[in-house]
Amino acid sequence: MADTVSKEQRRKNMQAIRSQSKLENRVSRELWKRGIRFRKNDKSLFGKPDISIKKYKIVIFIDSCFWHACKIHGNRPKSNQEYWDGKLARNKERDNEVKEYYKQNGWHLKRVWEHEIKENLDQTVDCLVYFIEQVKTKK
């Protein structure tokens, strides 16, 4: 099935997607309140992690259930399925490439699902703080 909008309109639609989500901002605000200092969306790091602490080689990715094909909440669009199947499969493939890159280079990587944040923000942030503190104590 062909796309229903022009290439120019599709380009404008895709450009309108913000690189920082509301969920990402909620998590980063809570981490900041708890004294964790970090960088957001650092373009100098592979995969542009949502949160990074270079000093301790920590990267955190906040994955939306739709864009990263969550097995619990991810849904498959009903129209243009061939396009979306390829797009979402490539996103999952890219997630694996990023994971392998950081693993091979001695970084500590944590992925957080959108539904984890929505279900219990405090618990999610507690887990992230614990993860960060564990890495810091190893140094």
Side-chain angles (χ1 to χ4, degrees):
M1 177 178 210
D3 203 349
T4 58
V5 296
S6 68
K7 280 191 170 188
E8 183 58 30
Q9 184 59 46
R10 174 66 57 215
R11 183 174 169 274
K12 286 180 182 178
N13 291 350
M14 295 307 281
Q15 284 179 326
I17 298 171
R18 298 192 182 277
S19 81
Q20 294 180 26
S21 69
K22 290 178 184 176
L23 288 171
E24 185 182 318
N25 289 335
R26 286 174 63 195
V27 171
S28 59
R29 206 172 15 253
E30 287 299 316
L31 286 172
W32 198 265
K33 282 182 190 175
R34 296 183 191 202
I36 305 294
R37 300 298 176 247
F38 53 86
R39 293 281 176 256
K40 287 175 68 174
N41 305 101
D42 188 340
K43 293 177 185 174
S44 70
L45 294 174
F46 184 66
K48 203 168 108 179
D50 299 311
I51 296 170
S52 60
I53 306 171
K54 286 184 180 178
K55 179 178 180 180
Y56 299 106
K57 288 186 153 187
I58 295 173
V59 290
I60 299 170
F61 291 89
I62 299 171
D63 293 342
S64 90
C65 290
F66 174 75
W67 289 108
H68 296 270
C70 170
K71 290 180 180 169
I72 301 168
H73 301 105
N75 64 339
R76 185 176 183 228
K78 301 223 181 320
S79 64
N80 206 4
Q81 289 184 338
E82 187 177 314
Y83 168 80
W84 284 109
D85 288 347
K87 174 76 173 161
L88 297 176
R90 177 63 186 122
N91 288 352
K92 286 170 64 173
E93 190 179 308
R94 190 179 307 110
D95 289 345
N96 286 329
E97 290 169 7
V98 167
K99 180 180 80 175
E100 285 305 311
Y101 171 85
Y102 284 112
K103 186 178 172 183
Q104 290 174 1
N105 289 290
W107 284 68
H108 307 275
L109 180 136
K110 181 86 169 158
R111 288 197 175 272
V112 178
W113 283 104
E114 168 187 9
H115 65 260
E116 294 174 317
I117 297 165
K118 286 181 175 178
E119 288 168 7
N120 193 333
L121 175 64
D122 289 333
Q123 182 180 0
T124 303
V125 173
D126 288 343
C127 289
L128 288 173
V129 169
Y130 179 77
F131 169 73
I132 293 165
E133 294 302 326
Q134 289 297 108
V135 171
K136 283 182 174 182
T137 58
K138 290 180 184 177
K139 290 277 176 185

